[in-house]
Structure formats: C-alpha cells, structure tokens
Amino acid sequence: MKGETSWISHCFDDMSKEVGGLDSFSELIDEGNKETTAVSVDLILPDDLLERILAFLPVASIFRAGSVCRRWHEIVSSKRFLWNFSNVLSQKPWYFMFTSSDEPVGYAYDPILRKWYGIELPCIQTPNWFIASSCGLVCFMDNDSRSELHVCNPVTKHCKKLEDPPGPKFPDYSALSISVNRTSHNYTVSVVKSKQVPGNFFQWDLSIHIYDSETRMWATSLTEVLTGWRGGDESVICDGILYFLIYSTGGGTPENRHGLVTYSLSGRSSPLLRSFIPVPGPLSCGRLMNLKEKLVVVGGMGKQDRPDIIKGIGIWVLEGRNWNEVARMPHKYFQGFGELDDVFASSGTDDLIYIQSYGAPALLVFDMNQKLWKWAQKCPVSKKFPLQLFTGFCFEPRLEFAP
C-alpha cells in the first residue's frame, strides 16, 4: 500500500540473514557512458567517518543501511555507533496510531520521511492500556488492575516488566508518566492513583508512587485525601517536577472544573492543593506533555455557556505559574477532523505535537518552532465501521536507550 513500509524487514534480528549474499555498497554506473570509472564509497571512507555519517540518518534508513553489507551491519550494531547516534541531533518524534479497538496493532508515522511503518509493539495487550514515553522508552500499564507495567524501546523491541507498584489495587483513576535521563539512561516512572473514599463522593484518596530504575524499587512518595477534587489520567514529568490534572467533584463554574497540581520528585512537597494552578480557561479536556522540559497543555476550548461542546483547540506553555498561549488550531484544520468530540488524542515531545480525533485516522502535526500546522501523510488504514475508534501516542525513535 502506498506510503506504508514493512518494519519487520528492517529489524536488527533479520539483518544477519540478509547480509550474507550482499556485496558492498553498489557502485553508481552511468550505463550511457561505459568509460566512466565508478568508485565505491564503502572503500574510501574509514569506519569512524562512516559511523558518523550513518548516525545522521533517520532511524528507518539506519535499519536499511544495516542490510547493505556485512561491514555496514557490524557498524550500525556496534556500541560505538550507538554512542555516535546518541550525540547527533534528536530524531523527530514518531506517532504510533492504533487501528483496532481490540488488538494493539497499528502504524508508526515518521515525520521526516513522511512514511507510515507497520510495527509490532512488545508487551502491550490491548490499545486501552495507559501509555507514557520519554527519550525513546515507552511505558505501558494495564487498564484493569493498574499493576502490570512494562518499559520498552519500541524500535529495538527491548522490554522489561516492572514489579507491581504499591498502593490500592483497581483504583478509580490512574495517571502514568515516565522520565528518562539522557546522560545516565536511568529512568523514573510515576503512577498517581485516585480512589473514592467509601460513601463520600467529595473525598478522594490520592497517592503517588515512584519507580527508580537505578534502585529497581518502588516508593510511595505521598498519600493525601482531597476534598472536592479527584485525580485523573493525565500526568507528565518535566525537569524533575510531576504535573497532573485534578478534576472538581463539587460542580462549580466551568473555569474551575480542572486544575493543575505539582509535586517535586527531589524532595518533600507541601499539600498538593497549595500548588494548585488554574488551567487556561474552560477546557473540555486537557492533554499534558513535556516539550524540551517545558510543560505544554493541549486543550479543547469549550463554549462559555456549553463547556462540553468544543469550539476549538489551543496550545499553552506554562511559564512560572502563568500560561502563555502558543497557538490556536486554524478553523480549516478544526473542520478537517469532521465531527470532533469534546475529548481527543494528543501527545508530543521535542518540537512536535500530534493531534487526532478518536473517530478518524486523520493526524495533524504542529511544529512548535515554526508555528506551523500540517496534515500527516494519510494513514494506510481507513475507517471501516461507525464505531471504530483510533488513538495513539508519540515517542522518540532512539536506538541507544534500553529499559
């Protein structure tokens, strides 16, 4: 199918099967001029220079390069190449779109080559699992007990199952986030659990549980009872601070239906509500993301008299305790989604933000640097029945990170 490329044929595990019968890099020969002498680049460049050149390729091209010949395969599989790769500019984040409501299958979009790749995700069992990503690693958490967690690299397929987190089993709401240290490659996973106090709708037990990959241990960092507020399913870690949305349980005005609270992962924090930051206006929903250690929220802007009806989508960045509006989706793009519910899927990292409707495979990309909106290349899968749902997440395609 046009625009779709099989990912399986480019995996490192399959390279060894392909390199045996391949010669070195093909010589470029002008068939119209038989006297032209072709020179193989493979023979001219020393290993260290070839490594640096290959490290600047998009990830998908690196997999293909590993199938050119045995020498290239050994280069892109070496630890020194991974070190070179880690020091080049960040790869643009990909977006994985689930195309089934029951099976965790779908396609990953590469914004550099503007292509979709059919890849298989390890560990995850259904698309409705909780998902968070950071620096090439993706964390999955089951949607039933909220206790089964896996951390994986979706490109290399390296995967690790974490111990069950502490706290209540089967909480009413959970929020998952992960933060990877680019220097040490250690990572932190946080799970915010919220459970209603029995017989009291206005009071909710909230607890924060932190996993440290260096110690391989969980710790319960905070337990608190919130009155008039509950936790939800949105959280993110930015520069050592855990941010998550809380939701009013006592009605109130539309502007006060959502709020943002912060928790420092490095030390003890004061009661959560003391860190309360109002969200920017009456949002129908809010999606939190870390873009270069800045907290960004993408929110559906509800009508003043009907906050449950979305009239547009905005993007804000948190500066101190104030929100700075970055952009609003132009009306022509908003209309391009067709019928857009009051909730939608959105995630981002680095400089890119992806937005999609649950009801269609259309994917919109916003570049924070260029302030540019652009539709992604059409997904290879189209909607086949009215209740078919689409969702997804973005991740940074990296080779050097492992759980």
Side-chain angles (χ1 to χ4, degrees):
M1 191 173 295
K2 187 176 181 181
E4 172 192 351
T5 303
S6 173
W7 182 260
I8 303 302
S9 62
H10 305 312
C11 286
F12 280 124
D13 293 340
D14 294 338
M15 287 180 184
S16 58
K17 302 176 184 177
E18 301 178 23
V19 297
L22 293 176
D23 297 325
S24 61
F25 191 82
S26 299
E27 297 180 348
L28 300 177
I29 300 177
D30 182 2
E31 294 293 338
N33 185 359
K34 298 298 183 179
E35 297 181 358
T36 301
T37 301
V39 179
S40 174
V41 175
D42 187 43
L43 297 176
I44 297 176
L45 298 178
D47 282 356
D48 58 343
L49 183 55
L50 185 57
E51 286 176 3
R52 295 189 181 188
I53 293 174
L54 294 178
F56 280 90
L57 291 175
V59 169
S61 299
I62 290 174
F63 277 96
R64 295 192 187 96
S67 300
V68 169
C69 63
R70 188 177 302 279
R71 180 193 179 201
W72 285 30
H73 170 65
E74 291 175 352
I75 285 177
V76 300
S77 303
S78 68
K79 291 184 178 180
R80 190 170 69 176
F81 175 79
L82 294 181
W83 184 88
N84 281 324
F85 182 80
S86 68
N87 285 278
V88 302
L89 295 176
S90 174
Q91 298 278 330
K92 292 293 184 182
W94 289 10
Y95 188 85
F96 184 90
M97 183 183 296
F98 292 104
T99 56
S100 169
S101 301
D102 304 314
E103 300 294 330
V105 297
Y107 297 90
Y109 179 69
D110 178 354
I112 297 179
L113 301 180
R114 291 181 59 80
K115 288 185 176 181
W116 291 89
Y117 299 101
I119 69 174
E120 296 180 3
L121 295 175
C123 310
I124 186 172
Q125 297 179 15
T126 60
N128 69 343
W129 279 30
F130 293 85
I131 303 173
S133 69
S134 174
C135 289
L137 295 185
V138 179
C139 185
F140 300 116
M141 181 174 70
D142 77 294
N143 198 24
D144 295 323
S145 67
R146 321 284 174 89
S147 297
E148 182 179 346
L149 288 94
H150 301 263
V151 177
C152 78
N153 183 322
V155 176
T156 64
K157 306 296 174 63
H158 294 154
C159 192
K160 177 181 180 180
K161 186 179 186 300
L162 304 185
E163 296 291 330
D164 291 359
K169 300 289 185 180
F170 304 98
D172 296 310
Y173 296 93
S174 298
L176 175 69
S177 56
I178 181 173
S179 178
V180 180
N181 186 305
R182 290 183 180 271
T183 303
S184 68
H185 291 199
N186 294 325
Y187 57 90
T188 299
V189 176
S190 73
V191 179
V192 181
K193 297 185 178 184
S194 186
K195 192 174 183 65
Q196 182 182 351
V197 174
N200 190 333
F201 180 75
F202 292 101
Q203 288 192 320
W204 290 74
D205 288 318
L206 187 141
S207 55
I208 299 175
H209 312 278
I210 306 296
Y211 177 84
D212 184 345
S213 68
E214 190 172 12
T215 62
R216 301 181 182 180
M217 294 180 61
W218 285 95
T220 299
S221 300
L222 179 142
T223 57
E224 194 170 312
V225 177
L226 299 183
T227 300
W229 297 90
R230 63 163 177 82
D233 56 6
E234 281 291 322
S235 70
V236 72
I237 299 173
C238 294
D239 199 22
I241 303 296
L242 172 63
Y243 298 88
F244 58 96
L245 291 178
I246 57 175
Y247 304 82
S248 173
T249 61
T253 61
E255 291 82 359
N256 296 325
R257 293 196 311 163
H258 307 75
L260 180 75
V261 291
T262 68
Y263 178 80
S264 174
L265 299 180
S266 61
R268 297 183 61 85
S269 297
S270 57
L272 287 175
L273 291 183
R274 290 187 183 178
S275 66
F276 182 91
I277 300 173
V279 296
L283 301 182
S284 64
C285 73
R287 304 299 183 210
L288 303 179
M289 53 200 73
N290 178 345
L291 272 66
K292 295 184 174 178
E293 301 306 323
K294 288 283 190 179
L295 176 68
V296 174
V297 61
V298 178
M301 297 179 293
K303 293 184 177 181
Q304 201 70 30
D305 55 337
R306 290 288 305 277
D308 56 325
I309 298 180
I310 183 173
K311 65 176 182 179
I313 293 177
I315 300 173
W316 297 265
V317 61
L318 185 65
E319 302 284 356
R321 295 180 57 85
N322 299 313
W323 295 102
N324 178 29
E325 183 173 319
V326 176
R328 293 196 182 193
M329 183 186 296
H331 191 61
K332 66 176 182 178
Y333 291 108
F334 185 75
Q335 286 183 315
F337 283 109
E339 292 186 8
L340 193 64
D341 297 329
D342 58 342
V343 293
F344 53 88
S346 181
S347 61
T349 189
D350 195 32
D351 292 320
L352 296 187
I353 295 175
Y354 292 95
I355 301 174
Q356 76 164 124
S357 165
Y358 289 127
L363 181 64
L364 186 62
V365 187
F366 179 72
D367 189 308
M368 288 282 286
N369 269 346
Q370 303 179 20
K371 302 296 186 290
L372 180 66
W373 300 87
K374 181 186 295 186
W375 290 109
Q377 194 77 9
K378 186 177 180 181
C379 182
V381 171
S382 58
K383 190 167 185 174
K384 297 179 180 178
F385 52 90
L387 296 181
Q388 184 176 2
L389 298 178
F390 299 88
T391 186
F393 64 95
C394 84
F395 65 95
E396 192 176 336
R398 306 296 300 183
L399 301 177
E400 72 275 24
F401 289 95

